């Protein structure tokens, strides 16, 4: 059975991804990507221990969490294109999109 996506999910994904799914091709691509990802649920992982790392040939270690530098907020904020109250301002694309009336399915 083909994967179908409801209107609220499409609206939510558009806002997150800033991608327009308001046509048949966009929705078909999204559904194909979800079907591809759904294949992972078909893999039987019974008895398979989770990996600690993708670096199978190396043993990972934890280091002590010690602060070695600091007090450089002003230097870091100089890298920002825009700052408001000591915070980086996100690009204008990350703003709520207006709700669309409908989609061409």
């Amino acid at each position: 059975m083909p994967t179908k996506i409801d209107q609220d999910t499409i609206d939510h994904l558009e806002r997150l991804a800033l991608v327009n799914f308001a046509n048949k091709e966009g929705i078909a691509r999204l559904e194909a990507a979800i079907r591809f990802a759904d294949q992972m649920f078909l893999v039987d992982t019974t008895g398979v221990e989770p990996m600690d790392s993708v670096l199978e040939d190396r043993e990972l270690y934890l280091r002590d969490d010690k602060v070695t530098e600091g007090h450089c907020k002003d230097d870091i904020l100089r890298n920002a294109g825009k700052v408001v109250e000591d915070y980086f301002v996100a690009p204008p694309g990350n703003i709520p999109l207006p709700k669309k009336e409908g989609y061409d399915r």
Side-chain angles (χ1 to χ4, degrees), residues 22-67:
N23 57 52
K24 289 180 183 179
E25 181 182 346
I27 293 172
R29 274 193 178 184
L30 179 60
E31 289 172 344
I34 291 171
R35 278 193 304 278
F36 180 77
D38 280 344
Q39 292 177 25
M40 289 190 289
F41 291 115
L42 301 175
V43 177
D44 181 13
T45 58
T46 305
V48 176
E49 292 293 321
M51 293 176 54
D52 293 330
S53 168
V54 295
L55 305 172
E56 295 178 22
D57 60 336
R58 297 184 195 168
E59 186 174 321
L60 300 179
Y61 62 92
L62 295 177
R63 63 176 171 78
D64 291 334
D65 190 14
K66 295 181 183 174
V67 177

Side-chain angles (χ1 to χ4, degrees), residues 5-16:
I5 305 164
D6 63 63
Q7 188 66 49
D8 289 337
T9 302
I10 291 172
D11 290 343
H12 183 68
L13 289 173
E14 279 188 330
R15 283 172 169 59
L16 291 175

